[in-house]
Amino acid sequence: QVQLVESGGGLVQAGGSLRLSCAASGLTFGNYVMGWYRQAPGKEREWVAAISTRGVTTYYGDPVKGRFSVSRDNAKNTLYLQMSSLKSEDTAVYYCAADTLLSRLGGTTTYWGQGTQVTVSS
């Protein structure tokens, strides 16, 4: 069975940095586009970033451009999100996502992790 397990969340001060990880198992990791989403209380799930199967191409949502960096290590079956210059509005549960097509990421065929809490204090 497919498992995506996020880690690295926690409490950080505004302006600080945090690195999230997503360990994948039960799938051929190199065949999957990977991404990060987040959801704050009372808000809809929001796309944060995505990365192509080999890590050559990355994509970012406007709120995090210039501050976050997504990467992957296919040999370790692990996805990362380096978060810098954090703001209070970055506070959310962050979810790892996997799908075979970028156009399907976040949709009905997507695999999801359980989420990890990121709290940015101001």
Side-chain angles (χ1 to χ4, degrees):
Q1 63 277 28
V2 172
Q3 269 199 306
L4 303 174
V5 181
E6 300 95 336
S7 61
L11 176 65
V12 63
Q13 293 182 6
S17 299
L18 208 58
R19 186 176 182 85
L20 306 183
S21 298
C22 171
S25 61
L27 53 74
T28 303
F29 187 70
N31 288 344
Y32 284 80
V33 175
M34 302 296 297
W36 290 97
Y37 290 75
R38 66 188 183 186
Q39 188 166 28
K43 293 189 175 182
E44 294 294 308
R45 185 182 64 204
E46 177 186 46
W47 172 69
V48 173
I51 187 167
S52 61
T53 57
R54 292 177 297 175
V56 173
T57 309
T58 56
Y59 312 85
Y60 300 95
D62 287 341
V64 308
K65 284 181 180 176
R67 301 188 298 119
F68 290 10
S69 180
V70 62
S71 61
R72 65 193 294 164
D73 186 338
N74 284 3
K76 295 181 178 179
N77 285 6
T78 302
L79 173 75
Y80 303 97
L81 185 67
Q82 178 65 53
M83 311 164 69
S84 300
S85 301
L86 283 161
K87 306 173 180 180
S88 59
E89 49 261 52
D90 295 318
T91 295
V93 177
Y94 282 72
Y95 297 92
C96 173
D99 216 314
T100 55
L101 294 173
L102 180 63
S103 62
R104 293 180 179 175
L105 193 67
T108 57
T109 62
T110 295
Y111 295 109
W112 297 94
Q114 84 291 342
T116 186
Q117 176 70 49
V118 172
T119 303
V120 183
S121 64
S122 58

